[in-house]
Amino acid sequence: MNAPSGTVTGAIPGTSMPNQSADVLRIELTVGGMTCAACAARVEKRLNRIEGVAATVNYATEKASVTAPAQLDLGELVAAVETAGYTAALRPPPTPAGGVEPAGGAEPGGRSEAHPGPTEAEGLTALAATEARDRVLISAVLSVPVILLAMVPAWQFDYWQWVSYVLTAPVVLWAGWPIHRAAVKNLWHGAATMDTLISLGTLAAFGWSLYALFLGTAGQIGITNQFSFAMGGTDGADSLYLEVAAGVTTFILTGRYFEAKAKRRAGAALRALVELGAKDVAVLPEDGSAERRIPVGRLTVGTRFVVRPGEKIAADGLVEEGTSAVDASLLTGEPVPVEVAPGDAVTGGCVNTSGRLVVRATQVGADTQLAQMARLVEQAQAGKAQVQRLADRVSGVFVPVVIMLSLITLVGWLIADAEPATAFTAAVAVLIIACPCALGLATPTALLVGTGRGAQLGILIKGPEVLESTRRVDTVVLDKTGTVTTGQMTLVGVHPAEGEDADEVLRLAAAAEDGSQHPIAAAVLTGAMDRVGGWPAATGFRALDGLGVLATVEGREVLVGRTRLFDGRLAESLAAELAAAEADGHTAVAVGWDGRVRGLLLVADRIKPTAADAVAELRRLGLRPVLLTGDNAAAAGAVAAELGIDEVIAEVLPADKVAEVTRLREQGRVVAMVGDGVNDAAALATADLGIAMGTGSDVAIEASDLTVVRGDPRVVADAIRLARRTLTVIKGNLFWAFAYNLAALPLAAAGLLNPMVAGAAMALSSAFVVSNSLRLRRFH
């Protein structure tokens, strides 16, 4: 479920190896020349033949994710891919604009990471896209008249067949050249792919037509040709298949062009993350000299920089001067800007909406939260769900099987005394309709869109295996502190003894607590500032270890802490308040002077405003919520009652959280664990599905399978819904891809499909799979 023990996740700036340890490298290769899932299966098989290498190849993203021994010569990986007949290059990790600049400040040629220009690969991709578009347009212009002349006998003028030949030849031989070239290259390497099927089919149709034109009777002046969606009997000497050769080539090229565009749209969310960062930054030198703008790639940890209204924050950091509202919607999905002031943390990529801020950088380049998000999303998109592995195995053997089936179809029709043209047409239809494009696209396109949309909403899915875990989960264990509560103590009540003033009790308590660093002291001070506006100075401060504090305030010795400091001497009214507070899960702090308890301060870890809605949403998803906490049973029960949770596991030590998750699993439950602290990491890793709140510790996030970037527990339900929806789309895609081939192959072999119709249907099957995946972009 989580990363192998030998692998350290996290990018290493400036290298093409996103993950590595002393023993293991994790490398990504960009693979070129793949045209179908069979190609991906072939590359994957070739890479996995290298000793110690475990590789998965993703057709949609055109990437190979490789885990290899650290001592491996990386050139072996590139050579293995090239031996299979494809191109490969080591791929740099995704770093937002403004990532770590290479040593020396710029790449050869003067290109800085802070000012990314088009790379050679990007330029070649743009050139290839333009060439593909030109081939589609020209082949369409030439093919339409050929198809119309073949389908409408009334339009077949004298010499129409020769005009069709002249128009078809450039479509098949020039526009279709990339297909034929790939087929020959694969044949040279002993492989058969989708290109093999298309090339065989279109060249056979074109070659048969040449035979009929030059050696048969089809070239006679005034002859007409009847088009049929199925086939009819003929000796073949007068049968033309020019519309099949031209039409199928055009349909395939068009399908691939729009497929490539759709795949690019599918990966748009990741590119948006990568491009979200600032390009340059105004830094404030420590010597007090004037600020100056530098490429953000040269920004270092500890540097102070200025963020003006409307500018993007260049790196993660702490606000040192100024107040403002920061828009983090593109990063977290949270639409409401967050108010920040000195001491608050800010995240690179967010937009400063109002005031001027001075920020000290704490994380830069590949270490920023934005870069880590992009890396997590890309790692998820590069993986494979278990359901896709079956499709890949099928695709790997599918093409040879189809070629054999086509030959069997041809021989079978001839043995059945069918006309040669009928046998030939059925065989060509089998070749063309069986291309397994849809199988190869079913999972990767859905993953691209689903994980990308999740990133836009502040939901990071670590890998495709996570999707299958969310389907089976029936129990959600919610750690209390920091997950359903704020994780910060808050003053919730002041109860003075009879004859005492509440504000006076709070004012003197705050004065005594002013020297303490305890979370309860912080809650008292914040509450006092909000309620009474301040407190007097104290002297003689002394911390009473584990019990409270003592200080002299305005001539009085003020004692603040546990009630046992006063030997239990509480007035009857305060004793009742204490009992009620403990029943509600609040912590009571006694305040006294001159030997008497003058009042009680109640502090509590507040429940997040959206926690109850989150629990209700989890129930609607069919999940059983369980509250897990180290608090006493009374406090835990009060929180659970407010949230609507029936099952509570209280008074659990951090070390025992794993045991509780294990116990639930042994009961037959499939458990999702939601937590945010260091002490939750082991439980997150033990659960069937670990969900970390992104506001928590890095250790918890590392141990989880899903990360919710912002602290709103409602997003946990959204994350599970998105993961389930993505898995549903994948299964729908695979069902369509399998069903299409299973239904279409017998029809083609039975002579019920014209090859041109088969080509159109094949292209439409891929278009359906991609467009079905793109529906995930509308997930809310």
Side-chain angles (χ1 to χ4, degrees):
M1 179 179 71
N2 298 299
S5 58
T7 301
V8 179
T9 56
I12 297 175
T15 75
S16 57
M17 292 164 282
N19 301 287
Q20 65 178 353
S21 71
D23 303 318
V24 176
L25 297 177
R26 183 167 176 177
I27 306 122
E28 282 202 339
L29 300 175
T30 299
V31 181
M34 296 192 298
T35 56
C36 67
C39 298
R42 177 171 171 75
V43 174
E44 187 172 297
K45 185 176 180 180
R46 191 61 64 96
L47 285 171
N48 284 322
R49 285 180 184 171
I50 302 173
E51 185 176 355
V53 168
T56 59
V57 179
N58 191 315
Y59 165 51
T61 58
E62 298 179 334
K63 290 183 294 190
S65 296
V66 184
T67 302
Q71 66 273 18
L72 181 73
D73 179 3
L74 300 185
E76 279 191 57
L77 300 174
V78 175
V81 176
E82 291 175 345
T83 302
Y86 306 91
T87 62
L90 287 173
R91 190 172 182 279
T95 302
V100 174
E101 189 171 38
E107 299 176 354
R111 178 176 173 264
S112 167
E113 284 286 339
H115 298 283
T119 64
E120 182 182 359
E122 289 164 349
L124 290 174
T125 299
L127 184 62
T130 302
E131 181 184 335
R133 184 196 62 201
D134 292 344
R135 288 181 187 272
V136 168
L137 291 175
I138 293 172
S139 63
V141 168
L142 296 177
S143 297
V144 169
V146 176
I147 295 170
L148 290 177
L149 285 173
M151 296 181 68
V152 186
W155 293 356
Q156 293 172 1
F157 52 85
D158 291 345
Y159 300 104
W160 71 271
Q161 65 272 52
W162 295 100
V163 173
S164 294
Y165 164 67
V166 170
L167 295 174
T168 301
V171 174
V172 174
L173 302 178
W174 173 76
W177 172 243
I179 298 173
H180 308 312
R181 181 180 56 199
V184 171
K185 182 186 290 188
N186 287 319
L187 184 62
W188 179 259
H189 291 282
T193 66
M194 169 188 164
D195 293 300
T196 309
L197 300 181
I198 300 302
S199 182
L200 278 175
T202 55
L203 289 178
F206 187 65
W208 186 286
S209 300
L210 291 185
Y211 158 76
L213 279 172
F214 289 98
L215 301 177
T217 59
Q220 295 177 3
I221 299 172
I223 194 171
T224 59
N225 193 18
Q226 298 292 326
F227 177 85
S228 172
F229 285 98
M231 290 96 65
T234 173
D235 65 1
D238 63 346
S239 297
L240 293 177
Y241 294 97
L242 294 171
E243 79 281 2
V244 171
V248 167
T249 301
T250 301
F251 284 136
I252 298 305
L253 292 175
T254 304
R256 286 189 180 179
Y257 176 69
F258 284 108
E259 176 186 302
K261 286 190 66 175
K263 284 195 294 185
R264 183 161 178 81
R265 286 174 62 201
L270 177 59
R271 287 193 301 278
L273 273 180
V274 172
E275 295 166 2
L276 193 59
K279 303 297 186 295
D280 51 30
V281 58
V283 297
L284 288 175
E286 295 295 338
D287 60 10
S289 58
E291 68 179 64
R292 56 192 177 89
R293 299 199 77 84
I294 62 170
V296 75
R298 290 168 51 194
L299 187 65
T300 57
V301 172
T303 302
R304 298 170 77 233
F305 61 92
V306 177
V307 189
R308 292 182 172 81
E311 289 185 340
K312 293 178 181 177
I313 298 172
D316 297 355
L318 291 174
V319 177
E320 290 195 346
E321 298 176 21
T323 59
S324 181
V326 171
D327 180 3
S329 59
L330 289 177
L331 195 64
T332 67
E334 177 60 59
V336 180
V338 178
E339 298 291 335
V340 294
D344 290 336
V346 290
T347 304
C350 298
V351 178
N352 178 23
T353 63
S354 50
R356 177 182 181 273
L357 297 176
V358 175
V359 180
R360 188 175 295 276
T362 56
Q363 302 282 351
V364 298
D367 295 326
T368 63
Q369 184 177 344
L370 176 61
Q372 291 167 5
M373 284 180 64
R375 188 160 55 247
L376 283 173
V377 173
E378 186 165 53
Q379 287 172 359
Q381 292 178 349
K384 289 185 181 179
Q386 197 63 36
V387 288
Q388 178 66 18
R389 298 187 186 277
L390 172 62
D392 286 349
R393 287 196 295 271
V394 171
S395 297
V397 299
F398 197 66
V399 174
V401 168
V402 168
I403 293 174
M404 185 62 66
L405 182 59
S406 177
L407 291 174
I408 292 172
T409 301
L410 177 65
V411 173
W413 277 93
L414 292 175
I415 291 175
D417 290 331
E419 298 292 345
T422 301
F424 169 78
T425 306
V428 171
V430 168
L431 282 176
I432 292 171
I433 200 155
C435 296
C437 293
L439 282 177
L441 292 170
T443 295
T445 51
L447 273 178
L448 276 170
V449 184
T451 55
R453 180 60 180 150
Q456 290 175 329
L457 298 174
I459 300 165
L460 302 182
I461 302 172
K462 278 198 174 176
E465 301 83 0
V466 174
L467 305 177
E468 288 161 2
S469 299
T470 61
R471 178 191 60 181
R472 298 181 292 109
V473 165
D474 55 32
T475 301
V476 177
V477 176
L478 300 165
D479 180 67
K480 182 178 79 71
T481 304
T483 301
V484 296
T485 65
T486 62
Q488 295 180 335
M489 303 299 283
T490 305
L491 182 70
V492 295
V494 180
H495 295 282
E498 187 174 349
E500 301 291 341
D501 178 69
D503 288 351
E504 180 70 3
V505 169
L506 179 59
R507 191 176 71 90
L508 296 181
E513 291 277 27
D514 196 16
S516 175
Q517 300 298 316
H518 196 278
I520 288 180
V524 171
L525 294 173
T526 301
M529 182 61 70
D530 293 340
R531 181 163 171 167
V532 298
W535 48 86
T539 59
F541 173 84
R542 185 157 58 99
L544 308 175
D545 191 28
L547 294 174
V549 298
L550 175 66
T552 301
V553 184
E554 296 179 343
R556 304 170 184 169
E557 278 204 342
V558 179
L559 195 61
V560 184
R562 295 178 181 268
T563 54
R564 74 177 74 166
L565 283 172
F566 301 92
D567 297 325
R569 297 190 304 274
L570 291 179
E572 187 174 335
S573 61
L574 290 181
E577 291 289 353
L578 176 63
E582 291 178 344
D584 290 338
H586 297 161
T587 298
V589 179
V591 182
W593 55 85
D594 296 338
R596 287 179 50 202
V597 177
R598 307 290 178 156
L600 293 177
L601 307 181
L602 305 184
V603 296
D605 183 3
R606 282 191 182 276
I607 295 174
K608 292 181 178 178
T610 58
D613 292 338
V615 170
E617 183 63 26
L618 291 172
R619 287 191 182 278
R620 281 193 287 272
L621 290 172
L623 303 173
R624 182 176 179 180
V626 177
L627 186 67
L628 180 69
T629 179
D631 283 353
N632 62 65
V639 172
E642 188 170 343
L643 295 177
I645 297 176
D646 301 323
E647 189 172 352
V648 181
I649 304 173
E651 300 178 15
V652 177
L653 296 175
D656 296 332
K657 290 184 178 182
V658 172
E660 292 298 333
V661 171
T662 302
R663 180 180 61 81
L664 291 172
R665 295 182 69 193
E666 288 173 348
Q667 293 176 2
R669 303 198 205 178
V670 182
V671 179
M673 170 74 189
V674 185
D676 76 325
V678 172
N679 57 15
D680 298 323
L684 289 168
T686 303
D688 298 283
L689 178 68
I691 304 175
M693 307 297 285
T695 50
S697 72
D698 290 342
V699 176
I701 294 170
E702 185 62 41
S704 67
D705 302 300
L706 278 169
T707 300
V708 176
V709 174
R710 64 182 193 264
D712 187 344
R714 291 177 301 182
V715 186
V716 172
D718 291 337
I720 293 174
R721 283 197 304 114
L722 174 61
R724 287 182 174 180
R725 182 82 57 84
T726 304
L727 183 63
T728 299
V729 169
I730 288 174
K731 290 189 169 181
N733 286 347
L734 286 171
F735 172 80
W736 166 259
F738 276 115
Y740 157 78
N741 279 292
L742 290 174
L745 275 173
L747 291 175
L752 299 177
L753 282 179
N754 181 284
M756 189 178 68
V757 177
M762 191 276 291
L764 287 172
S765 71
S766 296
F768 170 82
V769 164
V770 175
S771 60
N772 189 46
S773 299
L774 288 172
R775 292 189 303 118
L776 287 167
R777 297 176 74 188
R778 299 195 296 269
F779 177 87
H780 293 287

